[in-house]
């Protein structure tokens, strides 16, 4: 099986890898090709035709759903059924793991729910929208003027003025990109810049999704 995020997040490289693999089991349309986004409720789907002048806009919606407890559970359920169909002899094993995952998630949600309600942030990239929707905080602006496009000096000047007036709780980015811009804005406005771990493995001790979510929510708190 090949499992991937989907919503065109891997469009720049994965189709070529799949084709070059010559593995008939993971080609599009086969049971072994699993686009995990088929199970999620995608947000921010463009309402009109898109082009490159709009920046890195994903035509099927925001692909960063892995920070959403609601959507990750749906993916876990979908993956369990897909594995059970391909490897029926071990279906009970997969479903037992899903039950354990659900139990852990329910317990963690008791800690997570409400922890960030009412907080307000500026974000470098449109990375935290699913988490904001699930946990009740707000993203009030972006360092990028368009997704994937570095901000202009005029956009940064406008942000400095706005952040200085509204005083959000923090300016969010990830270790992947945006640190320099966020550090600059933080220095100019006095609002804390927060580098949020964005993936399992983004820090050496983040080895599973629950640890990732605990660390993300702690950094925002």
């Amino acid at each position: 099986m090949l499992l991937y995020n989907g919503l065109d997040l891997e469009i720049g490289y994965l189709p070529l890898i799949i084709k070059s693999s010559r593995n008939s089991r993971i080609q599009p349309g086969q049971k072994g090709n699993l686009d995990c986004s088929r199970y999620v409720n995608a947000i921010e789907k463009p309402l009109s035709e898109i082009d490159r002048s709009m920046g890195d806009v994903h035509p099927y919606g925001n692909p960063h759903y892995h920070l959403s407890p609601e959507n990750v559970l749906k993916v876990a359920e979908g993956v369990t059924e897909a594995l059970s169909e391909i490897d029926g002899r071990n279906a009970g094993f997969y479903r037992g793991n899903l039950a354990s995952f659900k139990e852990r998630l329910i317990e963690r949600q008791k800690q997570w729910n409400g922890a960030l309600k009412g907080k307000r942030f500026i974000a470098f990239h449109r990375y935290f929208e699913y988490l904001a929707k699930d946990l009740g905080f707000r993203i009030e602006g972006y360092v990028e003027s368009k997704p994937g496009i570095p901000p202009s000096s005029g956009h940064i000047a406008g942000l400095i003025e706005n952040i200085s007036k509204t005083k959000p709780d923090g300016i969010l980015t990830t270790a992947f990109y945006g640190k320099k811009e966020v550090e600059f804005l933080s220095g100019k406005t006095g609002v804390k810049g927060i580098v949020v771990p964005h993936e399992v493995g983004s820090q050496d001790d983040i080895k599973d999704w629950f640890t990732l979510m605990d660390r993300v929510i702690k950094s925002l708190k």
Side-chain angles (χ1 to χ4, degrees):
M1 284 190 75
L2 169 70
L3 295 84
Y4 55 99
N5 190 94
L7 298 177
D8 269 4
L9 189 64
E10 305 90 355
I11 192 64
Y13 63 91
L14 189 58
L16 179 61
I17 293 175
I18 294 173
K19 184 177 180 180
S20 301
S21 74
R22 300 182 181 178
N23 182 344
S24 62
R25 292 174 295 184
I26 64 168
Q27 299 302 315
Q30 300 302 310
K31 291 180 180 180
N33 181 302
L34 188 60
D35 177 348
C36 294
S37 70
R38 65 192 286 185
Y39 304 112
V40 310
N41 296 320
I43 62 175
E44 300 183 349
K45 296 179 181 179
L47 300 177
S48 60
E49 291 188 14
I50 62 175
D51 57 56
R52 296 309 299 172
S53 69
M54 301 166 68
D56 186 20
V57 176
H58 295 271
Y60 302 115
N62 188 317
H64 304 300
Y65 59 80
H66 70 290
L67 295 182
S68 162
E70 175 185 326
N71 279 307
V72 163
L73 177 57
K74 291 177 181 177
V75 171
E77 291 170 339
V79 168
T80 298
E81 291 310 306
L83 288 168
S84 298
E85 184 176 358
I86 283 182
D87 182 22
R89 289 180 300 176
N90 291 303
F93 173 77
Y94 302 127
R95 289 175 179 147
N97 280 349
L98 174 64
S100 175
F101 181 85
K102 284 184 176 180
E103 288 178 8
R104 293 180 67 191
L105 181 55
I106 289 169
E107 286 304 309
R108 281 298 212 290
Q109 284 181 305
K110 293 175 183 178
Q111 304 170 29
W112 298 340
N113 290 346
L116 301 169
K117 192 170 183 178
K119 288 191 178 293
R120 302 175 298 115
F121 298 100
I122 302 293
F124 182 83
H125 183 68
R126 305 188 75 88
Y127 204 89
F128 304 100
E129 282 63 32
Y130 288 97
L131 185 65
K133 178 177 177 291
D134 279 14
L135 297 189
F137 63 90
R138 299 201 307 274
I139 306 291
E140 297 189 332
Y142 298 91
V143 180
E144 291 179 323
S145 54
K146 296 178 181 179
I149 304 298
S152 65
S153 57
H155 182 67
I156 290 292
L159 270 176
I160 291 171
E161 181 179 357
N162 181 58
I163 292 171
S164 298
K165 287 180 180 177
T166 61
K167 293 295 182 184
D169 292 292
I171 310 170
L172 308 180
T173 191
T174 68
F176 188 64
Y177 45 28
K179 290 175 67 176
K180 179 177 69 174
E181 293 89 343
V182 167
E183 287 172 0
F184 177 79
L185 286 168
S186 179
K188 289 291 185 180
T189 63
V191 173
K192 186 176 183 179
I194 306 169
V195 178
V196 184
H198 62 290
E199 293 279 8
V200 173
S202 59
Q203 296 175 2
D204 289 342
D205 58 343
I206 298 180
K207 300 186 183 299
D208 62 33
W209 180 79
F210 287 105
T211 306
L212 171 66
M213 291 296 292
D214 284 340
R215 194 69 55 81
V216 167
I217 292 167
K218 182 179 179 180
S219 68
L220 269 63
K221 285 176 68 178

